[in-house]
Amino acid sequence: MDIKRYEELKNSVQEIIDLIATKDNKEANNKLTSVSEILDELLDHAEEDEELIEISRYQVLLNQLYQKINAE
């Protein structure tokens, strides 16, 4: 498991949350799309169960953030 990639992913998700908080939904949506692509890449190369579990957690979180962005 590439710890550095997951740390970057965590930071990017925090940026999305911060953008939502400042009502910059367009930029939040752009960032979310970028993070989703990174997550898909990680999923393609995941080999261990713990990686799949971590990725699924981020997928759920990104889905909730997507709903939050598009609800406003």
Side-chain angles (χ1 to χ4, degrees):
M1 190 158 98
D2 186 0
I3 302 295
K4 184 178 178 187
R5 289 289 296 230
Y6 287 100
E7 189 63 33
E8 290 172 6
L9 193 60
K10 178 182 170 187
N11 292 336
S12 294
V13 169
Q14 184 60 52
E15 287 178 37
I16 294 168
I17 293 168
D18 293 343
L19 288 166
I20 292 170
T22 60
K23 305 280 190 223
D24 190 354
N25 289 345
K26 182 177 179 183
E27 188 60 35
N29 199 39
N30 291 341
K31 186 73 174 178
L32 190 137
T33 301
S34 173
V35 172
S36 293
E37 290 171 4
I38 294 168
L39 200 57
D40 288 343
E41 183 180 319
L42 288 172
L43 184 58
D44 288 343
H45 300 291
E47 296 177 358
E48 300 173 13
D49 286 345
E50 76 176 40
E51 286 179 284
L52 294 172
I53 292 168
E54 189 70 18
I55 290 168
S56 68
R57 288 179 183 150
Y58 278 103
Q59 286 175 323
V60 169
L61 178 57
L62 290 181
N63 186 39
Q64 290 173 341
L65 292 173
Y66 176 81
Q67 290 177 9
K68 177 69 174 167
I69 291 167
N70 291 302
E72 295 180 356

